[in-house]
Every structure is written in C-alpha cells, then in structure tokens.
C-alpha cells in the first residue's frame, strides 16, 4: 500500500516533467501560429447583451484583449514563429510562416 501511495504522489510531477520535453515540429508549428498572430496585432472581442430575470433587466458585457510582449517590442511575426518552433521542438519549421495553414498575415 505504501508503494502505491508514493507512486500516486509522484505521478503529477512525472507528468509535468514529461510535458516539458520537445514536441513534434508539426505540433510546435500549430501552437506557435498563435504567438505569431499576437506579434502581428492584438486580438480581442467585445460581447454585449441584455439579461433579465425576476422582473428586471440589465446590460451585461465583457471585453477581452490579448496583447503580446512581442507586439509591444515590434518583433517580426516570422521571427517570433521561428523562435517559438525551435524552442518547443528543437527544429526549424518545415514551412515559413506565410505558408502555414491558417496564417492570415
């Protein structure tokens, strides 16, 4: 029983360490596309509506804004993408940013 408890306690740590390892380059490209998009320009959304209940109504809303430090520093999205892919996979991207599926540069 004591051995099982030790394994159960160390399992989250082992999973966290395994998650830090390199990922396949195609997976890194998909992940890093978001970094390049945020380096190009901020992203956000505004949601507004009306909610009611118990005889009263009121306005509701939410604003979200994502701004990256790469955007603030004026970094080139292609450089951000390349650096991210290399950091995550240990390899250069297989395609340049402009050729990535989903890139709307």
């Amino acid at each position: 029983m004591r051995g099982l408890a030790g394994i159960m306690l160390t399992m989250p740590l082992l999973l966290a360490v395994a998650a830090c390892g390199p990922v396949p380059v195609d997976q890194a490209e998909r992940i890093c596309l978001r970094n390049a998009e945020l380096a190009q320009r901020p992203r956000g959304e505004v949601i507004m509506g009306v909610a009611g209940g118990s005889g009263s109504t009121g306005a509701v809303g939410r604003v979200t804004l994502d701004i990256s430090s790469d955007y603030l520093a004026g970094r080139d999205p292609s450089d951000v993408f390349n650096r991210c892919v290399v950091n995550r996979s240990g390899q250069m991207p297989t395609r340049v940013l402009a050729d990535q599926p989903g890139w709307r540069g």
Side-chain angles (χ1 to χ4, degrees), residues 68-91:
S68 75
S69 59
D70 294 318
Y71 172 77
L72 295 174
R75 293 189 182 101
D76 178 36
S78 294
D79 292 339
V80 170
F81 177 76
N82 290 341
R83 186 179 66 237
C84 177
V85 172
V86 169
N87 287 342
R88 289 185 178 266
S89 72
Q91 301 175 39

Side-chain angles (χ1 to χ4, degrees), residues 19-76:
C20 294
V23 298
V25 70
D26 60 321
Q27 183 180 354
E29 290 172 342
R30 288 191 303 274
I31 294 167
C32 294
L33 191 60
R34 174 82 171 147
N35 292 14
E37 289 172 347
L38 288 173
Q40 185 180 31
R41 65 181 166 271
R43 299 282 193 261
E45 68 180 4
V46 176
I47 299 172
M48 297 185 331
V50 177
S54 300
S56 65
T57 60
V60 295
R62 179 180 74 197
V63 175
T64 60
L65 183 62
D66 293 330
I67 299 176
S68 75
S69 59
D70 294 318
Y71 172 77
L72 295 174
R75 293 189 182 101
D76 178 36

